[in-house]
């Protein structure tokens, strides 16, 4: 999704990297209650990120992950836990000092498989026996295992592996030489040895960059199957295509998967389809069945219990790509006439799965500032919501009994794991990972408000009043545009917004046109027209807060990350109302990103080529209006971000510096992609936000930047 970051405090809705766990992973609330206090910067690292719930087929246990951010070690660690669905203490399943993720139960209930890079090696599949004992490594791949899926009989795993690099192949040969009994006369002591100069990148792909990867070559991801007993690995798909999201048929004979196999160049289309291949295929995918033929993107296949149908997510208009509603659909497993089930619903949907009896399809829908778990008859019909309200359901699984486990976050609580009985009813929380944190923090309950934009369009958003708000008093207000642009703010816990409210600000989180959750027409309203209608909607929320009497019109600030940073650039180039701004991972001179970031296909489809459609590119580029800016602005970003490269902030900073009329500063974080991972960098960003706003928006006499730290 363009410009959307899933782990940044200044982007759409959720602060994923602020939901990281502290050193202790206690599962219970403190015995002695303490007086609640205001939230702080360092509380970002007291929050536990609980995710990826996996319920066992017998419905008795749920495995999940808990992540920990350590400022002292300046790293994040993820461990796997297991909690009984009937109540009781949770059990930690994996060791300290090494991250483990992606827990998956074997269908027979004997094993819990997971991914881990142990001993500084590759990401491999490890097995935990339910009877006890240490984890055992199952795979021995020369490249990372990206994903895996159990066969229904628990005798095989489908693996997703990327074609090995020349370096990985050479390393594997070296390992073979170093096996006991082998001789290597040319082997040298590595001490003091000069590292080998890396070879040049040779580029010949249309899409040749990706954030967190860098330059792309023709190494692709493919499906493999490993036998649990013999450990023999067979590659079952191949070609210059990426194959992902493996799903076993109920009889274990077939694997469905997602792949863009467009010819001659899959990089130039959004045409991912659902394909099926025999699980015992030995000719690397020479005989595939194409299940779907929709020219838009199809993804996330899941089989019906009888093996006759496949449900999946479909996007019907490839020209609208991310702006188009993604629907739940079903197709005969062998291909044929597909049926879109949620077209009338017109809400972004994901994670479709059949109920154990095959009568219903569950999915998560993005609707009106929420993400609810929904259910629809497999043949179409009325949509119901097993989990509803102003909450966010980020993942779920279903046991054979029909019981569910889900990851849920709400306004007043970071994510936890809940279960729902097959008979329905209210979700029951089975983890208490964040109880200690919640008990000691005074929180602000944001309001979900609706207001009219300049042209009369009804817009919604979340509004935080300052902690200990006093009626009748005016407060400094911060407009916080979200990322995306097809993102949104939801009814979920948000450390950054709580932090700003605790520091005396009104916090405005609008969902302007372009946002998800309000239908396709609302979403596509900014297509090739960024910074126009979304700007009007963002400003309408500012006017709403002022009209309500609690926002001080003379103390306004604005800031965002990703498309939120881009929106900030739009806003300060069109309005002189703001006293301070922070543009994180933003951009304003879009033609400079053509061929530089990862969105080449999106640019060509939405905006056209810059030299052929210059008027559109110039119109949406606030860089050409930099002389209008009167707002002191801080620009921030990571130096290896290929999503929205730091060049966007550098250009705006340099332009403002060249003019020399308005205070500006640029902060570049080394080694960071679009989603920051280093705890000390996250802490630094938060502190700089508070300092910049306090100095320029509150005008309280404090410094515009935090004190530099010395070793």
């Amino acid at each position: 999704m363009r410009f959307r970051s899933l782990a940044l405090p200044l982007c759409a809705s959720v602060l994923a990297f602020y939901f990281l766990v502290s050193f202790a992973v206690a599962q219970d609330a403190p015995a002695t209650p303490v007086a609640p206090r205001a939230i702080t910067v360092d509380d970002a690292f007291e929050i536990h990120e609980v995710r990826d719930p996996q319920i066992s087929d017998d419905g008795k246990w749920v495995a999940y992950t808990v992540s920990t951010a350590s400022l002292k070690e300046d790293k994040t660690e993820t461990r796997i836990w297991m909690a009984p669905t009937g109540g009781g203490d949770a059990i930690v399943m994996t060791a300290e000092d090494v991250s483990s993720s992606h827990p998956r139960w074997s269908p027979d209930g004997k094993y819990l498989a997971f991914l881990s890079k142990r001993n500084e090696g590759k990401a491999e599949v490890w097995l935990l026996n339910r009877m006890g004992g240490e984890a055992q490594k199952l795979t021995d791949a020369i490249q990372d295992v990206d994903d895996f899926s159990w066969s229904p009989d628990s005798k095989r795993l489908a693996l997703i592996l990327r074609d090995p690099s020349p370096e990985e192949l050479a390393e594997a040969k070296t390992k073979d030489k170093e096996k006991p009994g082998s001789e290597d006369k040319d082997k040298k002591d590595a001490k003091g040895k000069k590292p080998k100069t890396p070879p040049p990148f040779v580029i010949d792909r249309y899409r040749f960059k990706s954030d967190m990867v860098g330059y792309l070559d023709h190494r692709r991801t493919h499906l493999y199957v490993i036998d649990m007993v013999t450990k023999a690995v067979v590659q079952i798909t191949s070609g210059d295509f990426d194959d992902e999201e493996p799903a076993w048929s109920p009889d274990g004979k077939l694997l469905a998967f997602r792949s863009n196999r467009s010819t001659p160049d899959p990089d130039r289309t959004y045409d991912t389809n659902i394909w099926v291949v025999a699980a015992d295929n030995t000719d690397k995918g020479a005989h595939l069945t194409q299940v779907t033929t929709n020219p838009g993107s199809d993804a996330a296949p899941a089989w019906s219990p009888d093996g006759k149908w496949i449900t999946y997510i479909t996007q019907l208009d490839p020209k609208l790509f991310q702006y188009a509603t993604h629907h739940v659909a079903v197709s005969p497993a062998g291909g044929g006439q597909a049926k879109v089930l949620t077209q009338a619903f017109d809400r972004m949907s994901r994670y479709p799965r059949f109920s154990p009896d095959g009568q219903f399809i569950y999915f998560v829908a993005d609707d009106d500032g929420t993400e609810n778990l929904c259910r629809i008859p497999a043949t179409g019909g009325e949509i119901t919501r097993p989990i509803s309200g102003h909450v966010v359901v980020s993942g779920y699984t279903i046991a054979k009994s029909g019981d569910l486990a889900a990851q849920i976050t709400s306004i007043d609580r970071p994510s936890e794991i809940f279960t729902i009985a097959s008979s329905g009813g209210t979700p029951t929380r089975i983890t208490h990972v964040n109880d200690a944190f919640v008990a000691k923090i005074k929180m602000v309950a944001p309001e979900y408000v609706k207001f009219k934009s300049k042209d009369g369009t009804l817009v919604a958003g979340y509004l935080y009043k300052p902690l200990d708000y006093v009626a009748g008093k005016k407060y400094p207000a911060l407009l916080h545009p979200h990322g995306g642009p097809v993102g949104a703010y939801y009814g979920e816990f948000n450390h950054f917004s709580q932090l700003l409210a605790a520091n005396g600000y009104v916090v405005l989180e609008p969902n302007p046109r372009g946002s998800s959750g309000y239908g396709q027409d609302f979403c596509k309203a900014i297509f090739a027209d960024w910074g126009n209608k979304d700007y009007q909607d963002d400003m309408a929320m500012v006017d709403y807060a002022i009209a309500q009497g609690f926002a001080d019109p003379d103390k306004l600030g604005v800031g965002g990350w990703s498309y939120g940073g881009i929106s900030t650039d739009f806003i300060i180039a069109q309005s002189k109302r703001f006293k301070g701004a922070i543009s994180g991972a933003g951009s304003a001179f879009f033609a400079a990103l053509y061929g530089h970031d990862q969105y080449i296909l999106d640019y060509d489809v939405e905006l056209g080529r810059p030299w052929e459609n210059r008027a559109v590119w110039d119109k949406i580029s606030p860089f050409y209006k930099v002389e209008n800016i009167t707002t002191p602005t801080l620009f921030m970003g990571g130096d290896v971000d290929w999503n929205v490269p730091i060049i966007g902030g550098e250009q705006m900073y340099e332009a403002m510096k060249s003019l020399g009329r308005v205070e500006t500063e640029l902060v570049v974080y080394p080694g960071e992609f679009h989603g920051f991972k280093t705890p000390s960098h996250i802490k630094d960003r938060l502190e700089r936000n508070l300092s910049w706003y306090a100095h320029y928006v509150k005008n309280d006499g404090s410094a515009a930047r935090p004190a530099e730290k010395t070793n």
Side-chain angles (χ1 to χ4, degrees):
M1 182 172 287
R2 181 194 294 118
F3 305 139
R4 184 173 186 181
S5 164
L6 301 181
L8 294 166
L10 301 181
C11 75
S13 73
V14 63
L15 304 146
F17 281 97
Y18 290 175
F19 292 175
L20 303 175
V21 245
S22 62
F23 306 113
V25 284
Q27 293 280 309
D28 298 313
T32 305
V34 295
R37 58 167 175 79
I39 203 166
T40 67
V41 167
D42 284 357
D43 284 326
F45 313 101
E46 292 290 328
I47 303 168
H48 301 61
E49 183 184 12
V50 186
R51 59 185 306 178
D52 200 11
Q54 299 293 318
I55 192 167
S56 58
D57 269 347
D58 61 11
K60 294 182 179 179
W61 293 91
V62 178
Y64 55 95
T65 61
V66 177
S67 295
T68 305
S70 166
L71 278 170
K72 182 179 179 181
E73 300 294 332
D74 216 13
K75 68 176 184 179
T76 299
E77 180 180 300
T78 301
R79 300 177 73 185
I80 295 171
W81 289 72
M82 183 174 75
T85 58
D89 293 335
I91 303 169
V92 65
M93 303 297 291
T94 57
E96 290 183 296
D97 300 323
V98 60
S99 284
S100 302
S101 62
H102 198 69
R104 295 295 184 270
W105 297 103
S106 61
D108 62 11
K110 293 181 180 179
Y111 296 99
L112 182 63
F114 60 93
L115 293 176
S116 186
K117 290 184 178 182
R118 299 195 171 198
N119 304 318
E120 301 300 323
K122 300 290 183 181
E124 303 279 7
V125 179
W126 293 73
L127 295 177
L128 278 168
N129 193 310
R130 282 281 294 276
M131 300 301 292
E134 295 291 329
Q136 303 296 315
K137 189 172 73 167
L138 173 66
T139 59
D140 191 22
I142 64 174
Q143 68 275 59
D144 290 326
V145 178
D146 290 347
D147 191 10
F148 68 86
S149 178
W150 283 99
S151 65
D153 61 5
S154 303
K155 295 181 179 179
R156 294 167 294 169
L157 286 178
L159 308 175
I160 295 293
L161 301 174
R162 185 173 298 278
D163 297 327
S165 67
E167 292 77 16
E168 288 170 332
L169 290 170
E171 183 183 350
K173 289 181 180 179
T174 301
K175 282 185 177 180
D176 287 340
K177 288 183 179 181
E178 293 175 353
K179 287 180 179 178
S182 67
E183 294 183 3
D184 185 358
K185 296 179 181 179
D186 297 324
K187 186 177 179 182
K188 298 178 181 179
D189 187 352
K191 276 189 177 182
K193 188 176 180 182
K194 183 180 178 181
K196 185 177 179 181
T197 302
F201 297 104
V202 180
I203 307 297
D204 66 350
R205 285 180 59 175
Y206 170 69
R207 178 177 179 263
F208 66 92
K209 275 185 180 178
S210 180
D211 193 29
M212 301 183 69
V213 177
Y215 290 105
L216 301 178
D217 52 26
H218 287 275
R219 293 184 301 121
R220 300 286 194 162
T221 55
H222 298 298
L223 272 69
Y224 295 72
V225 170
I226 182 172
D227 185 277
M228 292 288 293
V229 177
T230 67
K231 295 190 178 181
V233 179
V234 177
Q235 184 176 348
I236 62 171
T237 65
S238 62
D240 194 13
F241 317 104
D242 287 308
D243 305 321
E244 300 167 300
E245 298 178 341
W248 290 86
S249 62
D251 61 9
K253 295 181 179 180
L254 302 171
L255 278 162
F257 62 97
R258 171 175 67 90
S259 185
N260 184 341
R261 292 180 166 254
S262 306
T263 55
D265 188 357
D267 285 351
R268 293 180 180 271
T269 77
Y270 302 100
D271 192 16
T272 58
N273 284 290
I274 308 303
W275 299 74
V276 166
V277 63
D280 60 357
N281 182 49
T282 57
D283 57 6
K284 295 185 179 180
H287 304 289
L288 304 178
T289 299
Q290 184 173 351
V291 177
T292 67
T293 58
N294 167 47
S297 62
D298 299 331
W303 294 79
S304 63
D306 60 10
K308 295 180 179 179
W309 300 90
I310 293 176
T311 183
Y312 59 98
I313 295 298
T314 188
Q315 180 262 332
L316 303 176
D317 189 342
K319 291 182 179 179
L320 286 179
F321 55 106
Q322 65 169 324
Y323 299 99
T325 298
H326 292 61
H327 296 285
V328 177
V330 291
S331 171
Q337 185 64 44
K339 183 177 182 180
V340 179
L341 302 181
T342 59
Q343 201 152 6
F345 184 41
D346 192 22
R347 292 294 184 268
M348 294 284 191
S349 302
R350 56 195 173 114
Y351 308 147
R353 295 186 182 96
F354 276 94
S355 60
D357 61 8
Q359 298 300 305
F360 296 92
I361 295 173
Y362 288 86
F363 62 98
V364 172
D366 182 338
D367 182 26
D368 196 17
T370 72
E371 290 190 320
N372 288 176
L373 181 65
C374 299
R375 191 177 77 164
I376 190 170
T379 55
E382 181 183 359
I383 294 173
T384 55
R385 304 191 185 209
I387 302 177
S388 60
H390 274 272
V391 298
V392 168
V393 178
S394 299
Y396 73 98
T397 49
I398 310 174
K400 284 185 177 179
S401 63
D403 296 339
L404 290 100
Q407 173 192 340
I408 304 175
T409 179
S410 55
I411 289 293
D412 59 350
R413 181 175 293 277
S415 57
E416 298 280 6
I417 307 304
F418 292 72
T419 57
I420 303 178
S422 58
S423 57
T426 303
T428 299
R429 182 158 64 92
I430 65 166
T431 65
H432 302 274
V433 179
N434 288 297
D435 282 6
F437 169 77
V438 171
K440 65 183 181 182
I441 299 299
K442 290 177 68 176
M443 294 188 192
V444 174
E447 304 169 33
Y448 188 62
V449 298
K450 297 191 176 183
F451 46 90
K452 286 189 176 181
S453 188
K454 181 179 178 180
D455 62 2
T457 300
L458 189 64
V459 182
Y462 286 91
L463 186 152
Y464 292 72
K465 292 178 182 176
L467 189 66
D468 300 324
Y469 166 76
V470 176
K473 182 178 177 181
K474 288 184 169 66
Y475 293 86
L478 300 177
L479 174 63
H480 186 196
H482 66 63
V486 185
Y489 284 112
Y490 304 102
E492 60 191 335
F493 179 80
N494 185 323
H495 169 269
F496 186 63
S497 295
Q498 291 285 346
L499 179 66
L500 294 176
N503 279 270
Y505 295 98
V506 173
V507 185
L508 308 176
E509 296 182 341
N511 285 338
R513 274 168 285 191
S515 300
S516 178
Y518 304 92
Q520 184 167 291
D521 288 344
F522 191 89
C523 208
K524 72 178 184 180
I526 67 168
F527 185 90
D529 192 23
W530 311 337
N532 180 14
K533 293 174 182 174
D534 51 341
Y535 165 79
Q536 296 171 22
D537 297 350
D538 287 338
M539 297 301 292
M541 190 168 195
V542 175
D543 293 336
Y544 170 84
I546 292 171
Q548 296 299 307
F550 43 74
D552 188 338
D554 296 321
K555 292 186 176 182
L556 300 177
V558 59
W561 192 274
S562 195
Y563 191 80
I566 292 170
S567 292
T568 298
D569 294 347
F570 283 126
I571 289 166
I572 61 176
Q574 297 181 68
S575 173
K576 301 182 186 301
R577 298 171 65 182
F578 297 91
K579 305 303 181 183
I582 301 175
S583 176
S587 179
F589 184 20
F590 297 110
L593 296 182
Y594 188 90
H596 185 61
D597 64 20
Q598 64 184 18
Y599 292 110
I600 183 63
L601 179 58
D602 293 5
Y603 290 136
D604 278 355
V605 171
E606 184 174 358
L607 304 178
R609 300 183 181 98
W611 59 92
E612 295 173 348
N613 210 17
R614 182 172 175 177
V616 172
W617 287 81
D618 288 356
K619 181 185 71 171
I620 67 168
S621 294
F623 184 77
Y624 295 116
K625 300 177 181 178
V626 69
E627 289 186 333
N628 298 338
I629 296 175
T630 60
T631 306
T633 306
L634 170 63
F635 297 94
M636 313 173 88
D639 72 338
V640 289
D641 182 350
W642 293 123
N643 188 320
V644 189
I646 189 61
I647 188 176
E650 290 172 338
Q651 289 169 332
M652 284 293 284
Y653 164 78
E654 198 66 80
M656 291 178 64
K657 204 71 173 176
S658 177
L659 290 169
R661 299 196 299 253
V662 183
E663 183 71 18
T664 185
E665 187 172 284
L666 172 67
V667 182
V668 182
Y669 294 88
E672 295 288 7
F673 303 109
H674 196 59
F676 281 23
K677 292 185 176 181
T678 308
S680 62
H681 288 167
I682 295 171
K683 177 181 172 71
D684 185 86
R685 280 174 49 187
L686 289 171
E687 290 175 341
R688 289 183 189 277
N689 273 264
L690 291 179
S691 297
W692 194 267
Y693 288 137
H695 181 78
Y696 289 107
V697 178
K698 284 185 177 178
N699 193 23
D700 64 1
S702 63
R705 56 188 64 85
E708 296 297 332
K709 300 175 181 64
T710 57
N711 294 327

